[in-house]
């Protein structure tokens, strides 16, 4: 049976993993690659990595263009935002991308993988929760946070001590999948109205 004809409860979940930093020399692609590989092996998940550096968005939001990115977000059943912390908050490029879209986020779950120095990006995550609440999204409680991220990965991009991060990511994915299935079924039964 093709994925298009399966019931909403059995069709694979499409998870968009969003790389939130566009800075030169960013570490986000390494973290995102690790998480995307783990998510793809979780079972029942199809991963779409959305790298904001590959999809630059204008600051003037005139409502035109960026249809391909909008379609990718609309097709997602859930999102995982991979974000650093810049000056106690999240990157401007990430906020711009979030604001470009609206209905694409409605009644869908959002998880977070953060990284940085001592705070591990958690201050960025707390602010993102408020932003996504305004967009009618459901944020997942469990997170993955890398404090002092540069010491967690080797030169090949592999975790040097994977157990704690893998356990945290598995907990996040379990919750994300539960919410994604539940909300997909609810949207199919009754379209979400904001």
């Amino acid at each position: 049976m093709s994925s298009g004809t399966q019931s909403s409860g059995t069709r694979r979940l499409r998870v968009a993993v969003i790389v939130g930093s566009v800075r030169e020399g960013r570490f986000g692609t390494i973290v995102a690659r690790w998480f995307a590989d783990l998510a793809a092996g979780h079972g029942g998940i199809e991963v779409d990595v959305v790298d904001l550096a590959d999809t630059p968005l204008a600051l003037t939001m005139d409502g035109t263009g960026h249809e391909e990115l909008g379609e990718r977000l609309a097709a997602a059943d859930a999102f995982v935002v991979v974000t650093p912390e810049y000056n106690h908050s999240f990157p401007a490029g990430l906020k711009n991308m979030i604001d470009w879209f609206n209905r694409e986020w409605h009644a869908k779950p959002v998880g977070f993988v953060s990284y940085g120095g001592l705070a591990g990006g958690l201050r960025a995550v707390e602010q993102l929760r408020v932003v996504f609440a305004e967009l009618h999204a459901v944020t997942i409680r469990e997170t993955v946070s890398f404090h002092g991220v540069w010491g967690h990965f080797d030169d090949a991009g592999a975790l040097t001590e994977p157990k704690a991060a893998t356990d945290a990511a598995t907990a996040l994915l379990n919750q994300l999948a539960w919410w994604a299935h539940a909300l997909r079924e609810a949207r199919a039964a009754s379209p979400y109205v904001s």
Side-chain angles (χ1 to χ4, degrees):
M1 184 180 297
S2 73
S3 62
T5 59
Q6 292 175 331
S7 73
S8 65
T10 59
R11 185 171 52 90
R12 290 171 60 86
L13 294 173
R14 184 177 176 98
V15 176
V17 175
I18 299 168
V19 184
S21 174
V22 297
R23 278 189 181 178
E24 187 73 29
R26 64 203 168 128
F27 205 83
T29 54
I30 293 168
V31 178
R33 187 178 321 115
W34 165 79
F35 183 81
D37 289 346
L38 191 70
H42 188 263
I45 292 177
E46 174 187 339
V47 176
D48 178 19
V49 177
V50 177
D51 188 342
L52 298 188
D54 297 335
T55 55
L57 298 166
L59 291 176
T60 54
M61 292 182 233
D62 58 9
T64 60
H66 310 299
E67 288 84 5
E68 181 184 349
L69 178 56
E71 289 170 6
R72 289 171 72 185
L73 298 177
D77 297 301
F79 307 97
V80 174
V81 176
V82 179
T83 184
E85 182 178 314
Y86 294 163
N87 302 319
H88 286 222
S89 188
F90 51 90
L94 176 58
K95 180 65 162 72
N96 187 42
M97 189 276 289
I98 292 168
D99 289 346
W100 255 95
F101 303 97
N102 191 306
R103 288 188 307 267
E104 291 82 357
W105 309 113
H106 288 190
K108 294 180 183 179
V110 182
F112 301 100
V113 176
S114 65
Y115 61 95
L118 289 175
L122 290 175
R123 292 176 287 214
V125 169
E126 291 309 308
Q127 293 181 32
L128 282 165
R129 289 185 190 282
V130 176
V131 172
F132 278 109
E134 185 65 19
L135 291 164
H136 302 269
V138 176
T139 60
I140 303 305
R141 181 195 177 279
E142 298 299 328
T143 63
V144 180
S145 177
F146 290 103
H147 306 261
V149 67
W150 307 274
H152 287 276
F153 291 84
D154 64 21
D155 292 341
L159 280 172
T160 55
E161 296 182 21
K163 183 175 180 356
T166 300
D167 289 350
T170 300
L172 183 157
L173 286 164
N174 289 342
Q175 286 187 0
L176 189 77
W178 189 94
W179 278 104
H181 281 294
L183 291 171
R184 183 167 70 185
E185 290 173 12
R187 290 192 312 273
S190 176
Y192 184 80
V193 179
S194 61

